[in-house]
Every structure is written in structure tokens, then in C-alpha cells.
Amino acid sequence: MLDFVRRTAADTELISSLPLDPEGRTWVRLEGPGGSEAWLIGWPPGTGTGWHDHADSVGAFVTASGELKENSLAARLPSDGWKTLELTEGVDRERRLPAGRGRSFGQHHVHEVLNECADRHAISVHAYYPPLPRIRRYSRTGQVLRLEQVERPEDWQ
């Protein structure tokens, strides 16, 4: 999947075709390889996802233009059955992903993705397999992570 998102992010015609909104993220669903789900996403300045995971799906994403920042947790969290979790020290990771850079991740990977630029959109390509069964959204205060919401595909399509 990482190869697919890299190739897709290098397609300048596709990237430039994404309509960009000055205030909210925009997205277009793409046909991913081997039955995966893929998305082209536009990020206005100062926007982000908030803390979330992609449940049982594995994924990959690459920044096509601009720069994104990913904050993630280097910890294997329980997959279900919890609402509040105290994180241990040293689990936080930060990655800067300028155009052309990306990463892949496994199941239950908790992260947030941000466009911290004050004056420029970022665009990225994402792929998930199996297609997203749900996204779990979290709030975070210090070292406490709290499950806030579970979204299903019908919530974002």
C-alpha cells in the first residue's frame, strides 16, 4: 500500500484536481489496490484529524504537497473494552512528513495528523486494508487517552 500511495501522490494531475476548501478538509475516494480503500485528502492551514485509530485496518499515507505532522503513540493499546487509558511516559512519537514522504502503520495505530502551516494547504493520499470498518476517536489530556466516539463508514461517505 505504501508503494500505491507514493505513486498516486506523484500524479500531479490527480493532486491538482482536488477541490480545496479554505476552512475544512476535502476528500475524494479513490480505487485502492487489491480491494483496499484509498482517499485523496486536502488539508487547509491549521487543520487536523484529532486523535484516532483505524481499528482492524492497516494503512499507509504520503504527503503529496505541503507538509503534514503525525503525532502517534508507540504503544500497543487494547483493541476493545476500554474507555480511559493512562499512557506511560515515552510513548509519544512525532514525524514531519514533507511532500514525497509517508509511512505505513498496523492495526490499532493511534495517531493524529496535522497541517500546522499557517498559510498553505497540504494534500495527502491514504490507503487502508481492509476498507475501514470503523474509526475510533479519542480525546487526550496529558497522559490520559479517552475513547470519545466510534464512527462507521456511513458517517463519512
PDB file of all heavy atoms in Angstrom, residues 39-61:
ATOM      1  N   TRP A  39      -7.988   7.313  -0.292  1.00  0.00           N
ATOM      2  CA  TRP A  39      -8.547   8.664  -0.233  1.00  0.00           C
ATOM      3  C   TRP A  39      -7.476   9.685  -0.607  1.00  0.00           C
ATOM      4  O   TRP A  39      -6.324   9.559  -0.201  1.00  0.00           O
ATOM      5  CB  TRP A  39      -9.034   8.989   1.178  1.00  0.00           C
ATOM      6  CG  TRP A  39     -10.142   8.117   1.646  1.00  0.00           C
ATOM      7  CD1 TRP A  39     -10.034   6.908   2.293  1.00  0.00           C
ATOM      8  CD2 TRP A  39     -11.542   8.351   1.489  1.00  0.00           C
ATOM      9  NE1 TRP A  39     -11.273   6.394   2.545  1.00  0.00           N
ATOM     10  CE2 TRP A  39     -12.229   7.263   2.068  1.00  0.00           C
ATOM     11  CE3 TRP A  39     -12.283   9.393   0.923  1.00  0.00           C
ATOM     12  CZ2 TRP A  39     -13.602   7.183   2.094  1.00  0.00           C
ATOM     13  CZ3 TRP A  39     -13.665   9.305   0.958  1.00  0.00           C
ATOM     14  CH2 TRP A  39     -14.310   8.211   1.536  1.00  0.00           C
ATOM     15  N   LEU A  40      -7.900  10.705  -1.324  1.00  0.00           N
ATOM     16  CA  LEU A  40      -7.106  11.899  -1.588  1.00  0.00           C
ATOM     17  C   LEU A  40      -7.689  12.972  -0.670  1.00  0.00           C
ATOM     18  O   LEU A  40      -8.905  13.229  -0.715  1.00  0.00           O
ATOM     19  CB  LEU A  40      -7.237  12.289  -3.060  1.00  0.00           C
ATOM     20  CG  LEU A  40      -6.509  13.531  -3.542  1.00  0.00           C
ATOM     21  CD1 LEU A  40      -5.003  13.384  -3.348  1.00  0.00           C
ATOM     22  CD2 LEU A  40      -6.846  13.787  -5.006  1.00  0.00           C
ATOM     23  N   ILE A  41      -6.858  13.563   0.189  1.00  0.00           N
ATOM     24  CA  ILE A  41      -7.365  14.482   1.218  1.00  0.00           C
ATOM     25  C   ILE A  41      -6.645  15.821   1.130  1.00  0.00           C
ATOM     26  O   ILE A  41      -5.417  15.878   1.053  1.00  0.00           O
ATOM     27  CB  ILE A  41      -7.181  13.881   2.630  1.00  0.00           C
ATOM     28  CG1 ILE A  41      -7.934  12.547   2.730  1.00  0.00           C
ATOM     29  CG2 ILE A  41      -7.658  14.868   3.700  1.00  0.00           C
ATOM     30  CD1 ILE A  41      -7.739  11.819   4.044  1.00  0.00           C
ATOM     31  N   GLY A  42      -7.431  16.905   1.172  1.00  0.00           N
ATOM     32  CA  GLY A  42      -6.896  18.265   1.227  1.00  0.00           C
ATOM     33  C   GLY A  42      -7.033  18.813   2.637  1.00  0.00           C
ATOM     34  O   GLY A  42      -8.088  18.682   3.266  1.00  0.00           O
ATOM     35  N   TRP A  43      -5.955  19.422   3.118  1.00  0.00           N
ATOM     36  CA  TRP A  43      -5.872  19.925   4.489  1.00  0.00           C
ATOM     37  C   TRP A  43      -5.662  21.440   4.468  1.00  0.00           C
ATOM     38  O   TRP A  43      -4.559  21.894   4.160  1.00  0.00           O
ATOM     39  CB  TRP A  43      -4.675  19.305   5.192  1.00  0.00           C
ATOM     40  CG  TRP A  43      -4.610  17.814   5.179  1.00  0.00           C
ATOM     41  CD1 TRP A  43      -4.244  17.014   4.135  1.00  0.00           C
ATOM     42  CD2 TRP A  43      -4.903  16.954   6.257  1.00  0.00           C
ATOM     43  NE1 TRP A  43      -4.296  15.702   4.499  1.00  0.00           N
ATOM     44  CE2 TRP A  43      -4.693  15.632   5.807  1.00  0.00           C
ATOM     45  CE3 TRP A  43      -5.324  17.162   7.567  1.00  0.00           C
ATOM     46  CZ2 TRP A  43      -4.884  14.534   6.622  1.00  0.00           C
ATOM     47  CZ3 TRP A  43      -5.508  16.062   8.376  1.00  0.00           C
ATOM     48  CH2 TRP A  43      -5.295  14.769   7.905  1.00  0.00           C
ATOM     49  N   PRO A  44      -6.654  22.242   4.820  1.00  0.00           N
ATOM     50  CA  PRO A  44      -6.421  23.679   4.918  1.00  0.00           C
ATOM     51  C   PRO A  44      -5.406  23.990   6.027  1.00  0.00           C
ATOM     52  O   PRO A  44      -5.187  23.165   6.923  1.00  0.00           O
ATOM     53  CB  PRO A  44      -7.794  24.249   5.283  1.00  0.00           C
ATOM     54  CG  PRO A  44      -8.771  23.202   4.898  1.00  0.00           C
ATOM     55  CD  PRO A  44      -8.048  21.891   5.073  1.00  0.00           C
ATOM     56  N   PRO A  45      -4.817  25.180   5.982  1.00  0.00           N
ATOM     57  CA  PRO A  45      -3.884  25.571   7.041  1.00  0.00           C
ATOM     58  C   PRO A  45      -4.512  25.423   8.427  1.00  0.00           C
ATOM     59  O   PRO A  45      -5.674  25.775   8.640  1.00  0.00           O
ATOM     60  CB  PRO A  45      -3.596  27.038   6.731  1.00  0.00           C
ATOM     61  CG  PRO A  45      -3.834  27.166   5.258  1.00  0.00           C
ATOM     62  CD  PRO A  45      -4.964  26.225   4.966  1.00  0.00           C
ATOM     63  N   GLY A  46      -3.746  24.858   9.344  1.00  0.00           N
ATOM     64  CA  GLY A  46      -4.173  24.752  10.734  1.00  0.00           C
ATOM     65  C   GLY A  46      -5.177  23.668  11.050  1.00  0.00           C
ATOM     66  O   GLY A  46      -5.726  23.639  12.150  1.00  0.00           O
ATOM     67  N   THR A  47      -5.423  22.736  10.139  1.00  0.00           N
ATOM     68  CA  THR A  47      -6.412  21.679  10.409  1.00  0.00           C
ATOM     69  C   THR A  47      -5.734  20.367  10.789  1.00  0.00           C
ATOM     70  O   THR A  47      -4.551  20.167  10.536  1.00  0.00           O
ATOM     71  CB  THR A  47      -7.333  21.438   9.196  1.00  0.00           C
ATOM     72  OG1 THR A  47      -6.541  21.048   8.074  1.00  0.00           O
ATOM     73  CG2 THR A  47      -8.140  22.686   8.867  1.00  0.00           C
ATOM     74  N   GLY A  48      -6.523  19.487  11.375  1.00  0.00           N
ATOM     75  CA  GLY A  48      -6.012  18.179  11.756  1.00  0.00           C
ATOM     76  C   GLY A  48      -7.144  17.209  12.015  1.00  0.00           C
ATOM     77  O   GLY A  48      -8.317  17.573  11.983  1.00  0.00           O
ATOM     78  N   THR A  49      -6.780  15.981  12.299  1.00  0.00           N
ATOM     79  CA  THR A  49      -7.764  14.921  12.484  1.00  0.00           C
ATOM     80  C   THR A  49      -8.216  14.748  13.915  1.00  0.00           C
ATOM     81  O   THR A  49      -9.270  14.176  14.160  1.00  0.00           O
ATOM     82  CB  THR A  49      -7.177  13.564  12.048  1.00  0.00           C
ATOM     83  OG1 THR A  49      -6.027  13.284  12.861  1.00  0.00           O
ATOM     84  CG2 THR A  49      -6.836  13.550  10.585  1.00  0.00           C
ATOM     85  N   GLY A  50      -7.426  15.159  14.875  1.00  0.00           N
ATOM     86  CA  GLY A  50      -7.637  14.742  16.253  1.00  0.00           C
ATOM     87  C   GLY A  50      -7.126  13.309  16.406  1.00  0.00           C
ATOM     88  O   GLY A  50      -6.836  12.625  15.428  1.00  0.00           O
ATOM     89  N   TRP A  51      -7.002  12.865  17.646  1.00  0.00           N
ATOM     90  CA  TRP A  51      -6.501  11.514  17.922  1.00  0.00           C
ATOM     91  C   TRP A  51      -7.522  10.478  17.482  1.00  0.00           C
ATOM     92  O   TRP A  51      -8.715  10.618  17.762  1.00  0.00           O
ATOM     93  CB  TRP A  51      -6.208  11.351  19.413  1.00  0.00           C
ATOM     94  CG  TRP A  51      -4.994  12.099  19.847  1.00  0.00           C
ATOM     95  CD1 TRP A  51      -4.961  13.342  20.415  1.00  0.00           C
ATOM     96  CD2 TRP A  51      -3.642  11.668  19.742  1.00  0.00           C
ATOM     97  NE1 TRP A  51      -3.659  13.706  20.661  1.00  0.00           N
ATOM     98  CE2 TRP A  51      -2.830  12.701  20.265  1.00  0.00           C
ATOM     99  CE3 TRP A  51      -3.034  10.508  19.253  1.00  0.00           C
ATOM    100  CZ2 TRP A  51      -1.442  12.597  20.322  1.00  0.00           C
ATOM    101  CZ3 TRP A  51      -1.647  10.414  19.319  1.00  0.00           C
ATOM    102  CH2 TRP A  51      -0.880  11.452  19.840  1.00  0.00           C
ATOM    103  N   HIS A  52      -7.066   9.450  16.756  1.00  0.00           N
ATOM    104  CA  HIS A  52      -7.959   8.405  16.255  1.00  0.00           C
ATOM    105  C   HIS A  52      -7.154   7.167  15.898  1.00  0.00           C
ATOM    106  O   HIS A  52      -5.928   7.205  15.855  1.00  0.00           O
ATOM    107  CB  HIS A  52      -8.736   8.901  15.029  1.00  0.00           C
ATOM    108  CG  HIS A  52      -7.875   9.106  13.827  1.00  0.00           C
ATOM    109  ND1 HIS A  52      -7.039  10.201  13.682  1.00  0.00           N
ATOM    110  CD2 HIS A  52      -7.691   8.355  12.714  1.00  0.00           C
ATOM    111  CE1 HIS A  52      -6.397  10.110  12.531  1.00  0.00           C
ATOM    112  NE2 HIS A  52      -6.766   8.988  11.926  1.00  0.00           N
ATOM    113  N   ASP A  53      -7.860   6.074  15.621  1.00  0.00           N
ATOM    114  CA  ASP A  53      -7.234   4.903  15.017  1.00  0.00           C
ATOM    115  C   ASP A  53      -8.152   4.376  13.929  1.00  0.00           C
ATOM    116  O   ASP A  53      -9.259   4.884  13.738  1.00  0.00           O
ATOM    117  CB  ASP A  53      -6.851   3.827  16.046  1.00  0.00           C
ATOM    118  CG  ASP A  53      -8.027   3.065  16.634  1.00  0.00           C
ATOM    119  OD1 ASP A  53      -9.143   3.101  16.077  1.00  0.00           O
ATOM    120  OD2 ASP A  53      -7.839   2.406  17.670  1.00  0.00           O
ATOM    121  N   HIS A  54      -7.681   3.377  13.198  1.00  0.00           N
ATOM    122  CA  HIS A  54      -8.443   2.803  12.093  1.00  0.00           C
ATOM    123  C   HIS A  54      -8.840   1.368  12.398  1.00  0.00           C
ATOM    124  O   HIS A  54      -8.969   0.541  11.490  1.00  0.00           O
ATOM    125  CB  HIS A  54      -7.621   2.890  10.795  1.00  0.00           C
ATOM    126  CG  HIS A  54      -7.206   4.285  10.487  1.00  0.00           C
ATOM    127  ND1 HIS A  54      -5.959   4.778  10.798  1.00  0.00           N
ATOM    128  CD2 HIS A  54      -7.878   5.317   9.931  1.00  0.00           C
ATOM    129  CE1 HIS A  54      -5.882   6.041  10.445  1.00  0.00           C
ATOM    130  NE2 HIS A  54      -7.030   6.401   9.927  1.00  0.00           N
ATOM    131  N   ALA A  55      -8.998   1.075  13.683  1.00  0.00           N
ATOM    132  CA  ALA A  55      -9.458  -0.232  14.162  1.00  0.00           C
ATOM    133  C   ALA A  55      -8.613  -1.361  13.573  1.00  0.00           C
ATOM    134  O   ALA A  55      -7.384  -1.336  13.709  1.00  0.00           O
ATOM    135  CB  ALA A  55     -10.945  -0.403  13.890  1.00  0.00           C
ATOM    136  N   ASP A  56      -9.242  -2.305  12.890  1.00  0.00           N
ATOM    137  CA  ASP A  56      -8.552  -3.503  12.409  1.00  0.00           C
ATOM    138  C   ASP A  56      -7.882  -3.335  11.056  1.00  0.00           C
ATOM    139  O   ASP A  56      -7.337  -4.299  10.511  1.00  0.00           O
ATOM    140  CB  ASP A  56      -9.538  -4.673  12.343  1.00  0.00           C
ATOM    141  CG  ASP A  56     -10.092  -5.014  13.723  1.00  0.00           C
ATOM    142  OD1 ASP A  56      -9.312  -4.993  14.688  1.00  0.00           O
ATOM    143  OD2 ASP A  56     -11.303  -5.277  13.830  1.00  0.00           O
ATOM    144  N   SER A  57      -7.906  -2.144  10.490  1.00  0.00           N
ATOM    145  CA  SER A  57      -7.277  -1.913   9.186  1.00  0.00           C
ATOM    146  C   SER A  57      -5.811  -1.530   9.350  1.00  0.00           C
ATOM    147  O   SER A  57      -5.432  -0.876  10.313  1.00  0.00           O
ATOM    148  CB  SER A  57      -7.997  -0.791   8.439  1.00  0.00           C
ATOM    149  OG  SER A  57      -9.319  -1.169   8.141  1.00  0.00           O
ATOM    150  N   VAL A  58      -5.006  -1.949   8.388  1.00  0.00           N
ATOM    151  CA  VAL A  58      -3.643  -1.451   8.268  1.00  0.00           C
ATOM    152  C   VAL A  58      -3.688  -0.336   7.221  1.00  0.00           C
ATOM    153  O   VAL A  58      -4.627  -0.254   6.435  1.00  0.00           O
ATOM    154  CB  VAL A  58      -2.644  -2.557   7.854  1.00  0.00           C
ATOM    155  CG1 VAL A  58      -2.585  -3.632   8.926  1.00  0.00           C
ATOM    156  CG2 VAL A  58      -3.000  -3.152   6.510  1.00  0.00           C
ATOM    157  N   GLY A  59      -2.688   0.531   7.219  1.00  0.00           N
ATOM    158  CA  GLY A  59      -2.763   1.645   6.285  1.00  0.00           C
ATOM    159  C   GLY A  59      -1.415   2.236   5.934  1.00  0.00           C
ATOM    160  O   GLY A  59      -0.378   1.830   6.454  1.00  0.00           O
ATOM    161  N   ALA A  60      -1.485   3.207   5.028  1.00  0.00           N
ATOM    162  CA  ALA A  60      -0.305   3.957   4.610  1.00  0.00           C
ATOM    163  C   ALA A  60      -0.777   5.307   4.111  1.00  0.00           C
ATOM    164  O   ALA A  60      -1.896   5.438   3.607  1.00  0.00           O
ATOM    165  CB  ALA A  60       0.438   3.216   3.496  1.00  0.00           C
ATOM    166  N   PHE A  61       0.069   6.319   4.265  1.00  0.00           N
ATOM    167  CA  PHE A  61      -0.228   7.616   3.675  1.00  0.00           C
ATOM    168  C   PHE A  61       1.054   8.337   3.315  1.00  0.00           C
ATOM    169  O   PHE A  61       2.109   8.084   3.884  1.00  0.00           O
ATOM    170  CB  PHE A  61      -1.136   8.466   4.574  1.00  0.00           C
ATOM    171  CG  PHE A  61      -0.512   8.996   5.837  1.00  0.00           C
ATOM    172  CD1 PHE A  61      -0.048  10.302   5.900  1.00  0.00           C
ATOM    173  CD2 PHE A  61      -0.426   8.208   6.968  1.00  0.00           C
ATOM    174  CE1 PHE A  61       0.497  10.808   7.072  1.00  0.00           C
ATOM    175  CE2 PHE A  61       0.122   8.699   8.144  1.00  0.00           C
ATOM    176  CZ  PHE A  61       0.583  10.010   8.193  1.00  0.00           C
TER     177      PHE A  61
END
